[in-house]
Structures are given as structure tokens and as C-alpha cells.
Amino acid sequence: SQKIEQNSEALNIQEGKTATLTCNYTNYSPAYLQWYRQDPGRGPVFLLLIRENEKEKRKERLKVTFDTTLKQSLFHITASQPADSATYLCALENQGGKLIFGQGTELSVKP
Amino acid sequence: NAGVTQTPKFRVLKTGQSMTLLCAQDMNHEYMYWYRQDPGMGLRLIHYSVGEGTTAKGEVPDGYNVSRLKKQNFLLGLESAAPSQTSVYFCASSPRATGGADTQYFGPGTRLTVL
């Protein structure tokens, strides 16, 4: 069955640095992959979607890469700010057509 | 637009009690979902609906029932609550078209504790 792995350890970085979060998956190769942001006590919010034929996608300070050979997506936040502190979830569609989510990686940006 | 709303926000139940969680969306989305989120487990799909009057089982459906009588509402029922159902429940909707990407919009969640 499809599995998604995100680094369960929290990522702590200094304001202004680039944060890089990793999402690895096994088995079935998805047609696209998504990233969501979740703040404490709130529901996830969609950020970016990248398709299998796209190597890279950007939105303001966010950048996502998708390597179907390595079965990995990287999520970058450049010039990070304390307001970027949140948990970031990776999600992809499994063979049954259902979206499955990783456990998420908690990012903490210190001023 | 309010987006996706959930009622109630918090609830405490005793083992064996029943309750219904209500999800409403005002975006005219066809697809709706119920997830539970537990520490270290991520989001797990309970049940989902691909349109009014339809429901289907997700990854962890046991102990839950759902109904989608109206397009904008999706109800999640617990007939006899168990402590293992203590969790945060999220509803989501998506405008997914056939063959399209399933980008989901989430509600604020319901925190349920079963004693």
C-alpha cells in the first residue's frame, strides 16, 4: 500500500534562513503531490500542488520540487519568518484515488 | 463565503453515548470527507461522499456512520462512542472533477473526548 514519510522531528531554523522539508513516498507513483499547512487547533490549508511532469513549482517564497525517480518531494520556504511556524503536511493520491497524508513536519522559525 | 464549517467545536462523551457531527460547505463542492487526526498518525480517512445521496468507506470506517442527504451537508455519527474514538475530527470538501486533482478545503475541526 502507499506510504508517505515526513520527518517526524521538528525543524528549528533562524529567521531569514531557508527551511527545507522532505516528503518521501513508496510504491505507487502519484500523478501529483500536494502540500498543506496546519496551524495548532486549525484545519489544514492547501498551499501548492505539483504534477508528475513538473520538476518545480513556485508561489511567492514557497518552492516545491518533485522527483519521481527518487520518489521524493522537497518543500522550501525562503527568507523564513516566525509567521511561517506551523506543521506542513505532504499529501498524494493513492491507487484508489484517495488523498493520503503524511504525518507532517513541525517547523519553528525563531526571530 | 464561510467555506467549511463544523459543529460542535468541542464535545465530551461518556462511553456508549451517541452523537452526530455536522459539516457544512457553501462552495457547491461535490466531494466531502471525514478524517480523524491523532498524534503521530496523521490524517486518516473515515468516510467520504462523491455527491448528494452517496457515501463510501475510507481507511478507518468502523464505529462510524455518515449521511449526505443534502449536497452542502455531511454528517458523521457515532452510535456507541468508545475511548478509542477520542480524536480531532476534520471535515473537508473538494470541487474535484473526474480525472482532476483532489485539492481539499478543511473545516476547523471538532475535538472529541470519550471518557
Side-chain angles (χ1 to χ4, degrees):
Chain A
S1 61
Q2 191 73 15
K3 282 188 71 174
I4 302 178
E5 291 179 0
Q6 293 185 257
N7 194 340
S8 58
E9 288 184 18
L11 179 63
N12 299 300
I13 64 168
Q14 207 66 31
E15 182 176 7
K17 300 292 186 184
T18 296
T20 298
L21 287 70
T22 304
C23 174
N24 295 299
Y25 60 92
T26 60
N27 300 328
Y28 173 69
S29 295
Y32 57 87
L33 189 144
Q34 304 181 43
W35 284 89
Y36 289 76
R37 168 182 172 141
Q38 186 173 21
D39 291 285
R42 300 198 164 207
V45 175
F46 170 75
L47 294 175
L48 277 170
L49 178 150
I50 185 166
R51 299 185 185 278
E52 61 179 339
N53 59 351
E54 297 175 317
K55 288 282 190 290
E56 183 181 295
K57 199 84 170 276
R58 291 175 185 262
K59 179 182 177 183
E60 297 173 353
R61 294 183 297 110
L62 308 181
K63 184 178 88 171
V64 172
T65 63
F66 193 8
D67 189 325
T68 55
T69 301
L70 290 178
K71 293 188 184 298
Q72 181 182 80
S73 175
L74 298 179
F75 178 81
H76 306 272
I77 304 176
T78 58
S80 59
Q81 304 166 1
D84 295 325
S85 297
T87 296
Y88 291 86
L89 308 175
C90 165
L92 55 83
E93 196 166 290
N94 66 10
Q95 281 181 292
K98 299 297 161 288
L99 204 61
I100 58 172
F101 289 82
Q103 296 172 275
T105 298
E106 183 180 350
L107 172 67
S108 179
V109 181
K110 304 296 184 187
Chain B
N1 286 353
V4 179
T5 58
Q6 292 183 233
T7 309
K9 287 185 169 48
F10 302 94
R11 186 71 186 268
V12 178
L13 289 178
K14 294 181 180 178
T15 296
Q17 287 185 318
S18 63
M19 77 164 294
T20 300
L21 282 67
L22 172 64
C23 174
Q25 54 95 3
D26 61 2
M27 297 173 282
N28 201 36
H29 286 171
E30 288 294 332
Y31 286 58
M32 296 188 74
Y33 310 82
W34 275 107
Y35 293 90
R36 60 178 289 173
Q37 188 174 42
D38 302 290
M41 300 289 291
L43 285 160
R44 292 184 292 168
L45 183 64
I46 305 172
H47 285 281
Y48 64 98
S49 167
V50 299
E52 181 179 315
T54 75
T55 63
K57 294 180 180 180
E59 180 188 354
V60 288
D62 293 342
Y64 305 94
N65 56 75
V66 287
S67 65
R68 182 112 182 259
L69 298 179
K70 293 183 179 180
K71 186 176 183 178
Q72 63 268 33
N73 296 336
F74 196 28
L75 279 63
L76 177 71
L78 286 73
E79 290 185 349
S80 180
S84 60
Q85 294 178 304
T86 293
S87 187
V88 181
Y89 291 85
F90 288 101
C91 175
S93 70
S94 74
R96 180 175 186 171
T98 303
D102 185 23
T103 300
Q104 298 186 8
Y105 297 76
F106 285 81
T110 295
R111 186 173 293 275
L112 174 66
T113 301
V114 182
L115 302 175

